[in-house]
Amino acid sequence: MLGILGGDERCPIARSLDVLGEKWTLMIVRDALAGSTRFSQFQQSLGVPREVLTARLVSLVEGGVLERTSYKPEGGRARDEYVLTAAGRDLSLVLLALGGWADRHRPSELTSDLRFVDTETGEPVEAAALTRDTHQRVPLERLTAVTERASVA
């Protein structure tokens, strides 16, 4: 795939956007994190056209974010549902960071229904940068992206 940035496989952001860069995709993941699993739930919540939702769900399944499974309601026919994979659950941090950014830089007078909380305590959480080895918090003003020449194996 790798249609983003001319197909540069070295860039992890380009590889992520290859799966997640389409409109509606992260909103589907948001709804899945909040418990939606069925096409009708996503469609009702988002109001996205059916053909667009179908394409995005296929893309998320192919990208390993969602897994399609079958369920059969009592007295009904078999249908598909979409369940987050471990890769999909990892996106909760991305959405947490995006939501925090919007709250700081694109505030709204309307209160959001969406909250990210610790399931054990119910306490609200926020995204933070930690050093890999010592897990020390790094203030955002000290966080920077650095490009380094990749070594050739």
Side-chain angles (χ1 to χ4, degrees), residues 107-126:
S108 172
E109 292 182 14
L110 302 175
T111 303
S112 173
D113 296 339
L114 181 67
R115 300 280 181 267
F116 286 90
V117 298
D118 179 332
T119 56
E120 289 183 15
T121 66
E123 193 173 347
V125 297
E126 65 180 23

Side-chain angles (χ1 to χ4, degrees), residues 18 51 56 73 77-78 89 96 104 121 139 149-150 152:
D18 231 21
E51 59 278 357
R56 296 301 170 266
R77 64 182 174 90
R89 284 186 298 281
L96 174 62
R104 289 187 303 277
T121 66
R149 183 66 106 185
V152 179

Side-chain angles (χ1 to χ4, degrees), residues 116-147:
F116 286 90
V117 298
D118 179 332
T119 56
E120 289 183 15
T121 66
E123 193 173 347
V125 297
E126 65 180 23
L130 304 177
T131 59
R132 185 174 288 166
D133 294 333
T134 61
H135 300 276
Q136 297 296 310
R137 187 176 180 142
V138 177
L140 291 181
E141 49 283 345
R142 288 192 2 223
L143 184 63
T144 190
V146 177
T147 56

